[in-house]
Every structure is written in C-alpha cells, then in structure tokens.
Amino acid sequence: MYLEIVSPEATLFSSEVDSVVVPGINGEFEMLKDHAPIVSLLKEGTIKIKTHTQSHLVFDELHAEVTPHNDDQKVLTLKIKSGTLEMKDNKVIVLAD
C-alpha cells in the first residue's frame, strides 16, 4: 500500500507502507492493503505509519516531523491538527494541517 501525506507547505511522507493508523473524527482506525475505498475527516492526533523496514526512507528537513515511535524502528509517527484522508486502489492520500 502506498501512503502520501501532504501539507500546504510540502510533502511530509511518501512511501510504501504495511499499514497506517489515523485519528478519525469518530475514533482512531487502521487501514491495511486492500482496504475498502474510504474518505474521512481527521481530527487532531497522531498518524502511526507501520513499515516493514525504514532503511529505504530518507529523512531530511521536510520529513523532520516524521519520527520513530518509541524505539520501534518500524513505526513512524506524525502529529497533525486536522486533515482529510482518501484511500482508493491501495493508495492513501492524507491532506494534513
């Protein structure tokens, strides 16, 4: 599954992932490969990105907000204030504030 997280300033994350957990307005939910198409509003909270390995990811100034979750190198986190999510055909796009 491919995940892209964009803000008004830049693309914050763009890579293949195993799953993503997001703070939906009706509660936190997780999406895996082949999840049904969905559009959802997001509230303030933390996006948790689960990768098989992060060795292929490049962290630069634009990606500074994406950090490893507690010493688990396979889970990355990103705090957001709000946003919108769309998943379709194994591609997740998050428009985040």
Side-chain angles (χ1 to χ4, degrees):
M1 169 172 80
Y2 194 82
L3 172 64
E4 186 171 21
I5 303 174
V6 295
S7 73
E9 293 82 27
T11 298
L12 301 175
F13 184 86
S14 182
S15 181
E16 287 288 328
V17 299
D18 291 341
S19 70
V20 61
V21 178
V22 295
I25 58 170
N26 293 321
E28 187 176 80
F29 64 96
E30 180 175 21
M31 290 168 293
L32 303 166
K33 183 179 178 188
D34 296 326
H35 192 285
I38 185 172
V39 174
S40 177
L41 295 175
L42 304 177
K43 65 180 182 178
E44 185 170 358
T46 302
I47 296 174
K48 296 176 190 153
I49 305 160
K50 297 179 183 176
T51 64
H52 181 66
T53 176
Q54 72 168 4
S55 63
H56 65 285
L57 301 176
V58 176
F59 293 95
D60 56 24
E61 290 179 8
L62 293 178
H63 298 86
E65 296 178 27
V66 178
T67 58
H69 178 67
N70 296 329
D71 294 326
D72 187 346
Q73 297 299 308
K74 294 182 181 179
V75 178
L76 306 172
T77 61
L78 173 68
K79 293 191 182 300
I80 62 169
K81 294 180 183 171
S82 65
T84 305
L85 170 141
E86 178 186 21
M87 177 162 186
K88 181 178 169 187
D89 299 328
N90 283 321
K91 182 172 183 181
V92 180
I93 300 173
V94 176
L95 305 175
D97 290 335

